[in-house]
Amino acid sequence: MSALIEVEHLSRYFGKICAVNDISFKLSKGEVLGFLGVNGAGKTTTMQMLSGCLAPSQGIIKINDYNILKDPLLAKQSLGYLPDTPPLYKDLTVKEYLHYCAQIHAIPKQRINAALDTVFSRCGLTSVTNRLISHLSKGFQQRIGIAQAIVHNPDLIILDEPTIGLDPIQIIEIRALIKELGKNHGVILSTHILNEVQETCTHVQIIHQGKLIVKESIDTINKSINESSVIFKTTRPIDKQILLTIPGVQNLEVLSNNEFKINFNHSHDLTQQIAEIIIKQDWGLIEISPVKKNLETLFIASTEEPA
Amino acid sequence: MTVMSRINQQLHLKNIVITTLILFTLVNLSWLSNKYTYQIDISTSSSNTLSFESQKLLNLLPEPIRITAFIEKGQSIRSQISQLVDRFKYQKQDISLIFIDPQLHPEQIKNLKSSAKDIILVEYQNRVEKLNYIDEESLSYALSQLANMDTHSIKTLLKTNIGTHLNLSEKQIIVLNAIILLIFPLVFLTTGFIIWHKRKAA
Amino acid sequence: MIIGIAAQEFKSHFKTPMAWVLLAVLQIILGYIFLTQVETFDLMQVKLASIEGAPGLTDIIVTPLFSNAAIILLLVTPLLTMRVICEERRNKTLTLLLAAPISNMQIIIGKYLGTLTLLWLIVMLIALMPLSLLMGGELDIGKYLANVLALILLVAAFTATGIFLSTIASHPTIAAMGTFGILLILWLFNISKTISDQPNELVEYLSLLNHYQNIQTGLINSADILYFFLFVATFIVLSISCLNKQRLQK
């Protein structure tokens, strides 16, 4: 199966300022790609280029094998896009608006009503179909924005900060929706909320100053960031030398009197081995836990300016 | 990352080139449309078409005709005259029309020895006819005299106009007033208000 | 697709009270002009009857009505077109169309036809009024139809200009002023005919009023009709080109 979207050496300049610098990636069906970055990192610019709203300065974007510059109409047929501001006609009702969206995405007339019903129930809009968009809350408006992006059932869904401005319950709902969409579609999601990526995405890319600096699947990242160090407490003093001889262990830090931290190579999980040694040496193990580094640490580490 | 290789700039250039080409074509088309014209008079009274007699007359005049109109600038009669002459021109190409403002060229007016405000000179084969008023009939008459032709047929040239009478009873006028000024606007306003009110409540 | 956009654009005018109020106001103004003209004719007709070859109902009532309507629509069109693309860009709803599988050409033509339909509706309202005269008189139907055709073509030209300005302007007010400015200049080009002794042919060709009046007489010249088509085509092409450019540069 070929990739749903293929991006090669994508760059964008605004005058002399380089907003996006040489980004390449691929995405297949069933994947949810999280695009992480601080404000102004080039996330929105990238999203705009992927959706065909902005022409790239360099590089190729192919959606379902159609180049978005050469065959924009064919490429955009399999694309749903929610920009950072949802493009809502506020003096229409929800139904009128989504009907129009379905129309401009070339859904045949006889299938529009069915498509609308599906999208209403998916995005939880059934109760507000006849309300005026301007009279609805921000949460509903955001959901209409998402509905607009998925009403024509596109293969690729691009969501630019979909949970911004929502309350925690709405965020959970939207994340669940994204996860579900990820099963049958390819989803690209930009955000600066790290949690969101960890919860919903299968792949993560961190973009910083226009460059792609991390590109991993979420499993790899979870592994590498969860298990690189371990903290333990003992009642009796320990012999550091024994622990340092374990292959893979890099160093041992003394945090307080009886609390220590061992850092080791990413490749091996040494937690169990360390625990066994401590018990065997009878140092009086009180607790041992792998350090839960989260994405944040990785994010901060990778976006830090090299001193 | 040379400037040359940027895709968006190439597309930009392409866009400009295509637009320029299309606009160029449109300008050419407009030139062509002026060169090759076709016209048809759809008015029921044929008020824009020269009468058969005038057409016949023009066909009998082989030499060019010069018309000079001494009329002040900014008068709407100027455009009326040029419209009339255009109709003659459509039948006979070599008719020229020149406007001269009498206030700017008083010496030329003196030579004409005429007291009328507007003077129109019609020249054919070095002979001149002076007119104070110009319409199809008078111009055709002047031309036939210049060409030493029988003026009889021109004199009887008259057009019938359509719709010179309006018989509306007072009652009918009142009803018309009411429909146009009251009922239509009121229908629009109420419909607008109802729709607005309904949507506001949604 | 184009029809979908056009229909949406057309309907959106009627979802706010603005279009309705506009229709009512135009109806009152033009209706008043029409009725005054009818009254004038009524007073004059005895005198007119004695003159041979005098102007008829059509010349005294219909032609002035359409001339006045042209000037009033010159004022109204910029108000209707100013928001078309400009406001969408400001509200960021234009993205919806840009990200959909529609070309820029379809967007512009769709929006153009949507607004034009509204203006054509207004023209039809104006065209209805003289028909009431058939109750008590006779109209030169050919000339009447020529007047309607002239106004139909004229508003098409007005709207195209408005759409173009709406595409390039950053604010609706600027779009409205720009449209009004351009149209007024093109309208007034006609003055050269009466002011200068040798009118400039190019200026005369560009004048909207010239071609409008030519058609109004009932003498349909291919050059006049084509002028309006070329006028519309020029501004539509420019609008599409501008929209393309915005996507490339931003």
Side-chain angles (χ1 to χ4, degrees), chain B residues 4 7 18 25 28 51 57 76-77 80 95 101 106-107 130 133 150 160:
Chain B
M4 291 291 289
I7 294 172
I18 292 179
T25 320
N28 277 319
S51 62
L57 171 70
S76 62
I77 186 132
Q80 283 168 24
I95 299 176
D101 191 333
E107 71 288 347
K130 229 187 300 179
Y133 168 76
D150 174 26
T160 47

Side-chain angles (χ1 to χ4, degrees), chain A:
Chain A
M1 194 183 82
S2 67
L4 207 54
I5 182 166
E6 224 179 313
V7 176
E8 284 166 29
H9 306 293
L10 187 67
S11 300
R12 173 73 206 200
Y13 296 84
F14 290 109
K16 288 202 166 164
I17 300 160
C18 179
V20 173
N21 189 353
D22 201 19
I23 286 181
S24 304
F25 66 89
K26 277 183 187 179
L27 186 81
S28 318
K29 222 172 194 178
E31 291 179 343
V32 182
L33 173 67
F35 235 81
L36 264 176
V38 291
N39 291 330
K43 283 175 301 186
T44 300
T45 309
T46 313
M47 299 287 141
Q48 281 175 339
M49 284 193 282
L50 296 183
S51 66
C53 294
L54 188 67
S57 300
Q58 254 164 4
I60 297 168
I61 301 167
K62 277 184 183 171
I63 298 175
N64 269 343
D65 270 341
Y66 292 117
N67 188 321
I68 199 151
L69 285 180
K70 286 186 184 142
D71 306 301
L73 301 194
L74 289 170
K76 285 182 199 166
Q77 251 162 23
S78 35
L79 173 87
Y81 174 49
L82 169 70
D84 48 355
T85 321
L88 306 176
Y89 294 108
K90 299 213 165 154
D91 42 10
L92 297 188
T93 66
V94 178
K95 196 169 184 177
E96 284 166 346
Y97 172 70
L98 288 174
H99 190 276
Y100 180 51
C101 294
Q103 233 180 351
I104 60 172
H105 281 104
I107 299 182
K109 241 183 197 159
Q110 62 271 23
R111 279 203 274 137
I112 287 184
N113 277 333
L116 288 188
D117 287 340
T118 319
V119 86
F120 286 151
S121 61
R122 259 191 151 168
C123 299
L125 295 170
T126 319
S127 57
V128 295
T129 50
N130 289 319
R131 300 276 306 275
L132 223 52
I133 294 180
S134 57
H135 293 168
L136 293 174
S137 67
K138 182 96 174 65
F140 268 121
Q141 293 189 356
Q142 192 72 24
R143 278 197 251 179
I144 300 165
I146 295 177
Q148 161 274 127
I150 63 173
V151 65
H152 50 297
N153 205 14
D155 295 334
L156 179 67
I157 300 165
I158 297 177
L159 306 170
D160 200 349
E161 313 215 337
T163 54
I164 203 158
L166 301 185
D167 67 37
I169 295 169
Q170 290 167 333
I171 289 180
I172 290 167
E173 282 172 9
I174 297 262
R175 284 182 190 164
L177 178 65
I178 293 171
K179 259 188 177 169
E180 202 205 308
L181 288 172
K183 284 177 196 159
N184 299 316
H185 306 76
V187 181
I188 297 178
L189 169 90
S190 95
T191 180
H192 53 248
I193 304 160
L194 301 147
N195 254 337
E196 200 160 286
V197 174
Q198 265 179 321
E199 265 177 47
T200 54
C201 298
T202 60
H203 289 75
V204 183
Q205 295 188 342
I206 297 179
I207 184 171
H208 187 57
Q209 291 180 340
K211 281 187 186 155
L212 213 53
I213 46 176
V214 173
K215 198 162 79 174
E216 299 280 3
S217 85
I218 199 86
D219 293 337
T220 328
I221 285 185
N222 276 340
K223 230 179 196 171
S224 69
I225 55 184
N226 280 346
E227 300 164 357
S228 56
S229 54
V230 69
I231 291 177
F232 61 90
K233 266 187 189 170
T234 55
T235 46
R236 285 182 279 279
I238 62 160
D239 185 353
K240 293 176 190 170
Q241 279 311 313
I242 299 172
L243 290 172
L244 283 172
T245 50
I246 303 171
V249 170
Q250 282 171 334
N251 57 5
L252 188 147
E253 290 171 42
V254 183
L255 298 177
S256 66
N257 234 354
N258 293 324
E259 204 175 351
F260 308 92
K261 183 180 177 187
I262 292 178
N263 293 321
F264 48 81
N265 260 350
H266 292 181
S267 46
H268 315 284
D269 182 6
L270 298 179
T271 318
Q272 208 181 344
Q273 214 177 333
I274 293 166
E276 275 168 14
I277 290 173
I278 298 169
I279 291 162
K280 214 157 97 191
Q281 298 291 332
D282 196 23
W283 290 330
L285 183 64
I286 298 171
E287 71 170 86
I288 180 164
S289 59
V291 177
K292 284 256 176 198
K293 257 212 270 180
N294 53 16
L295 203 49
E296 203 165 343
T297 337
L298 176 74
F299 183 64
I300 289 164
S302 45
T303 53
E304 254 173 12
E305 300 276 333

Side-chain angles (χ1 to χ4, degrees), chain C residues 3-17:
Chain C
I3 294 172
I5 297 175
Q8 169 64 28
E9 187 66 32
F10 179 68
K11 277 190 255 166
S12 76
H13 284 294
F14 290 99
K15 279 172 182 155
T16 55

Side-chain angles (χ1 to χ4, degrees), chain C residues 41-240:
Chain C
F41 183 85
D42 206 29
L43 294 174
M44 278 165 63
Q45 65 175 323
V46 185
K47 224 199 287 175
L48 284 174
S50 59
I51 307 171
E52 278 188 284
L57 259 185
T58 324
D59 297 306
I60 290 178
I61 299 176
V62 179
T63 309
L65 172 69
F66 277 80
S67 300
N68 284 315
I71 292 170
I72 287 168
L73 289 179
L74 180 102
L75 297 169
V76 167
T77 317
L79 298 178
L80 287 171
T81 54
M82 65 181 186
R83 295 166 53 207
V84 174
I85 303 275
C86 193
E87 185 116 314
E88 286 222 25
R89 196 177 325 113
R90 287 173 69 80
N91 291 344
K92 312 221 167 160
T93 49
L94 196 59
T95 330
L96 179 70
L97 296 171
L98 292 181
I102 324 171
S103 66
N104 285 347
M105 188 174 82
Q106 287 172 315
I107 297 177
I108 295 285
I109 295 184
K111 294 268 175 195
Y112 172 66
L113 291 180
T115 311
L116 187 55
T117 316
L118 172 64
L119 277 153
W120 278 350
L121 190 81
I122 295 173
V123 173
M124 288 308 129
L125 272 179
I126 298 168
L128 270 183
M129 287 189 236
L131 288 183
S132 62
L133 297 178
L134 290 174
M135 288 190 304
E138 215 185 338
L139 279 181
D140 184 334
I141 293 296
K143 222 177 222 180
Y144 162 77
L145 289 178
N147 270 293
V148 178
L149 174 71
L151 198 56
I152 282 180
L153 290 172
L154 189 72
V155 291
F158 286 174
T159 315
T161 317
I163 298 280
F164 171 61
L165 264 298
S166 185
T167 314
I168 57 171
S170 56
H171 196 282
T173 329
I174 300 172
M177 305 247 279
T179 313
F180 181 65
I182 290 183
L183 291 179
L184 201 63
I185 287 171
L186 287 174
W187 192 253
L188 294 179
F189 265 178
N190 173 267
I191 282 184
S192 81
K193 198 181 208 171
T194 49
I195 281 187
S196 72
D197 291 338
Q198 249 97 41
N200 183 334
E201 261 181 56
L202 176 70
V203 170
E204 207 162 295
Y205 178 70
L206 286 179
S207 161
L208 276 166
L209 182 58
N210 247 344
H211 298 278
Y212 182 65
Q213 284 180 335
N214 284 349
I215 301 178
Q216 267 191 311
T217 59
L219 189 64
I220 310 291
N221 192 314
S222 60
D224 293 322
I225 306 280
L226 271 169
Y227 166 82
F228 284 106
F229 277 99
L230 294 171
F231 190 103
V232 170
T234 307
F235 279 107
I236 294 290
V237 167
L238 284 175
S239 311
I240 296 170

